[in-house]
């Protein structure tokens, strides 16, 4: 069986994004997918040591379909040119915070948090920032964390959100509409396989940030989000 690093397959798919090509290379795709599932299983095992509910997830609960939904898109290419996994209680369709791994030639990264939460969830996060903004600030500016991830990312309001004063000491966090941190991963780190250990280390470092968001929206060890 030929050697098929994940990025090599994605590079080929990017150049040949068609059903005919995928059908002709189905075995290659399945081999690469199996390798990803193995890597995701290793990451899940590490996460479950800190939070046992992760042990209830199967690797396939975390990875996304390769097929694109083209019904409402101007881009009619049938397949995604990346592979990704979302590690969250309840699986990839969870509404809660999670850890994210994105594999793409020249564009891989690890990260996590919560992306564009619904209005009621966003309100809860802002309330937690109002009550415990100093804690979040300390998490984000812990030297090891900030050196690795940099600043929090995500779309922001131009002014203070409703019900919060423009002089609020943590207004800069209250203005966020997503709460994300991330760090690029080089192609070399992916091809060498080191990205698995890197992801585990990143998610471990991210745990206090994850727990802050989890607490904010009311998820506990006994209360998982459902698929």
């Amino acid at each position: 069986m030929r050697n098929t690093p994940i990025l090599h397959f994605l590079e080929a798919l990017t150049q040949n994004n068609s059903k005919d090509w995928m059908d002709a290379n189905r075995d290659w795709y399945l081999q690469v997918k199996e390798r990803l599932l193995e890597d995701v299983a290793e990451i899940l095992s590490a996460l479950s040591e800190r939070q046992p509910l992760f042990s209830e997830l199967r690797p396939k609960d975390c990875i996304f379909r390769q097929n694109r939904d083209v019904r409402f898109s101007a881009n009619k290419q049938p397949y995604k040119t990346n592979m990704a996994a979302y590690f969250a209680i309840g699986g990839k369709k969870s509404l809660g915070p999670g850890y994210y791994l994105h594999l793409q030639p020249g564009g891989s990264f690890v990260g996590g948090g919560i992306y564009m939460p619904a209005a009621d969830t966003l309100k809860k996060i802002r309330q937690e920032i109002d009550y415990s903004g100093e804690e979040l600030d300390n998490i984000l500016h812990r030297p090891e964390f900030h050196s690795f991830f940099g600043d929090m990312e995500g779309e922001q309001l131009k002014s203070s959100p409703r019900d919060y004063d423009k002089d609020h000491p943590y207004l800069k966090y209250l203005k966020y509409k997503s709460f994300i941190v991330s760090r690029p991963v080089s192609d070399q780190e992916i091809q060498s396989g080191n990205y698995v250990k890197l992801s585990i280390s990143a998610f471990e470092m991210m745990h206090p940030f994850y727990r802050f968001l989890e607490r904010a929206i009311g998820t506990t060890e006994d209360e998982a989000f459902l698929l």
Side-chain angles (χ1 to χ4, degrees):
M1 185 176 293
R2 58 179 170 169
N3 182 27
T4 55
I6 291 173
L7 293 188
H8 288 179
F9 172 79
L10 292 174
E11 288 169 351
L13 176 58
T14 299
Q15 298 299 318
N16 304 276
N17 199 328
S18 70
K19 185 177 184 304
D20 287 345
W21 185 88
M22 181 65 91
D23 288 345
N25 290 274
R26 179 66 55 179
D27 289 345
W28 188 10
Y29 166 68
L30 291 176
Q31 181 186 356
V32 169
K33 182 180 178 182
E34 184 61 30
R35 171 62 185 273
L36 177 61
L37 287 168
E38 292 172 359
D39 292 343
V40 167
E42 185 175 346
I43 295 171
L44 274 176
S45 178
L47 289 173
S48 65
E49 292 180 7
R50 181 179 283 275
Q51 192 163 2
L53 281 177
F54 276 109
S55 65
E56 299 179 6
L57 294 175
R58 299 164 296 176
K60 70 177 184 179
D61 297 327
C62 302
I63 68 169
F64 294 94
R65 289 168 52 88
Q66 204 64 36
N67 297 70
R68 295 182 62 251
D69 184 350
V70 301
R71 292 173 299 171
F72 308 106
S73 174
N75 180 358
K76 299 301 181 182
Q77 290 187 330
Y79 304 107
K80 300 170 187 173
T81 55
N82 66 77
M83 289 183 167
Y86 188 57
F87 303 86
I89 302 304
K92 58 182 175 286
K93 295 183 181 179
S94 170
L95 301 178
Y99 307 101
Y100 182 71
L101 169 64
H102 185 94
L103 304 177
Q104 184 172 11
S108 302
F109 63 92
V110 292
I114 187 165
Y115 176 74
M116 296 298 287
D120 58 338
T121 301
L122 179 58
K123 182 178 180 179
K124 291 178 181 179
I125 296 173
R126 285 178 174 156
Q127 286 176 338
E128 189 66 26
I129 294 172
D130 185 27
Y131 302 148
S132 306
E134 183 178 6
E135 178 185 351
L136 177 61
D137 190 64
N138 288 338
I139 290 170
L140 295 174
H141 286 93
R142 191 157 43 96
E144 182 185 23
F145 183 100
H146 194 264
S147 175
F148 190 88
F149 291 112
D151 295 330
M152 191 165 66
E153 306 167 18
E155 186 178 345
Q156 302 176 49
L157 296 172
K158 293 183 179 180
S159 59
S160 59
R162 184 180 302 175
D163 301 327
Y164 293 100
D165 191 89
K166 64 180 181 180
D167 295 324
H168 192 288
Y170 297 104
L171 178 64
K172 61 181 178 179
Y173 301 135
L174 292 169
K175 290 166 67 175
Y176 277 87
K177 298 165 70 175
S178 290
F179 303 85
I180 303 292
V181 295
S182 70
R183 187 264 200 190
V185 181
S186 70
D187 286 359
Q188 183 179 1
E189 288 170 312
I190 303 298
Q191 291 166 338
S192 69
N194 289 339
Y195 79 92
V196 175
K197 290 183 179 179
L198 175 65
S199 298
I200 292 171
S201 296
F203 298 159
E204 174 73 17
M205 198 182 311
M206 199 187 305
H207 185 71
F209 178 64
Y210 169 90
R211 288 292 289 172
F212 181 92
L213 295 172
E214 187 180 49
R215 187 181 75 220
I217 63 179
T219 311
T220 68
E221 294 290 320
D222 301 315
E223 183 182 1
F225 284 91
L226 301 178
L227 288 173

